[in-house]
Amino acid sequence: QVQLVESGGGLVQPGGSLRLSCAASRSIYSINNMGWYRQAPGKQRELVAIMSAAGNTNYADSLKGRFAISRDNAKNMMYLQMNSLKPEDTAVYYCYARPSVQVYWGQGTQVTVSS
């Protein structure tokens, strides 16, 4: 079992940047499947990025080049650096971890991109 807590969301102007953090309640060294999803109002939750324990990454095609996922296994932390933000990036962002069959989710952090 692992508990996840996101932070770092907020209001940002178009073109701005934010870094989201996801703190895990236990060691994430062995958790190969961790990442971020987001859910905009009235839309389904969608994949943002995935990162394996070895550092392999996968991004939603529309976000490549603007978003970057990273992990600090020693600190049990995962991050999402978001640059050149657009109004359509407005959503609740969730981190997840899948140490085995079960998937664990954080409570989400709101990101609003607006002038």
Side-chain angles (χ1 to χ4, degrees), residues 1 6 12 15-16 19 21 29 38-39 45-46 49 53 62-63 69 71 77 83 85 95 99-101 104-105 110:
Q1 187 176 6
E6 302 97 335
V12 62
R19 189 176 85 149
S21 299
Y29 273 108
R38 69 184 183 183
Q39 188 166 19
R45 194 173 293 192
E46 63 175 358
S62 62
L63 302 177
I69 188 172
R71 291 170 56 156
M77 296 290 295
N83 300 322
L85 284 163
C95 66
S100 58
V101 175
Y104 298 92
W105 294 92
Q110 176 71 46

Side-chain angles (χ1 to χ4, degrees), residues 39-109:
Q39 188 166 19
K43 295 187 177 181
Q44 290 187 330
R45 194 173 293 192
E46 63 175 358
L47 172 69
V48 174
I50 298 173
M51 190 170 191
S52 71
N56 298 313
T57 59
N58 189 26
Y59 294 91
D61 287 341
S62 62
L63 302 177
K64 290 179 181 177
R66 293 196 299 122
F67 286 20
I69 188 172
S70 61
R71 291 170 56 156
D72 187 337
N73 290 337
K75 296 182 179 179
N76 301 333
M77 296 290 295
M78 182 173 63
Y79 305 98
L80 184 68
Q81 178 67 42
M82 306 185 295
N83 300 322
S84 302
L85 284 163
K86 305 175 182 180
E88 51 264 42
D89 294 318
T90 295
V92 178
Y93 285 71
Y94 299 89
C95 66
Y96 80 91
R98 187 175 181 181
S100 58
V101 175
Q102 187 166 355
V103 180
Y104 298 92
W105 294 92
Q107 83 289 350
T109 186

